[in-house]
Amino acid sequence: MRLTGYFLVAREIVPRMLAAGGGRIVNISVSHSTMHRAGFVPYGPSRAGSEALSRIMAADLRDTGVTVNLLLPGGATVTGMLPLDAVPEGQGFLEPAVMGPPIVWLASDDATGVHDERIVAVEFERWMRDRTGRR
């Protein structure tokens, strides 16, 4: 069901974005280990599917003005899916707010041309520095 939601939303909004001359799609993903963790059916496979869907959408929408990027928190996040004792000692949970700065930036004019990236929110500042250095 979770993958179906990504597809249905994209099917509805992409034609509107194309008609408007552009837009931003930021799909949420998870770490690769979550995609194949025991006991995470159907969540893990649906996240793997959403990542594949995002990559295909990025290829299909290249050079259209619609950008597609993936954003993941970079660790276990307080979502209610995991009990508080499920994270190894010393790692702790991330707060959902970790996703705020990168998603706001990806939706901004500053992210024009950023396409088909997989961005880890806890590494966003380093990703930005590396990106700036590549220019």
Side-chain angles (χ1 to χ4, degrees), residues 51-126:
E51 192 152 327
L53 176 68
S54 297
R55 296 295 187 165
I56 293 167
M57 287 173 56
D60 288 347
L61 294 168
R62 187 168 310 284
D63 300 322
T64 66
V66 177
T67 62
V68 182
N69 292 288
L70 285 159
L71 178 63
L72 56 146
T77 308
V78 179
T79 61
M81 284 191 56
L82 292 173
L84 294 177
D85 62 356
V87 176
E89 190 171 326
Q91 289 185 3
F93 278 95
L94 298 172
E95 289 298 321
V98 72
M99 302 291 273
I103 203 162
V104 168
W105 183 82
L106 283 166
S108 76
D109 288 343
D110 291 338
T112 298
V114 176
H115 183 71
D116 198 15
E117 293 282 344
R118 186 176 195 270
I119 299 169
V120 179
V122 296
E123 300 170 1
F124 180 62
E125 288 182 20
R126 182 173 46 135

Side-chain angles (χ1 to χ4, degrees), residues 30-50:
V30 295
S31 65
H32 286 118
S33 65
T34 300
M35 293 179 195
H36 52 80
R37 179 176 290 150
F40 271 64
V41 171
Y43 185 76
S46 73
R47 294 302 66 160
S50 66

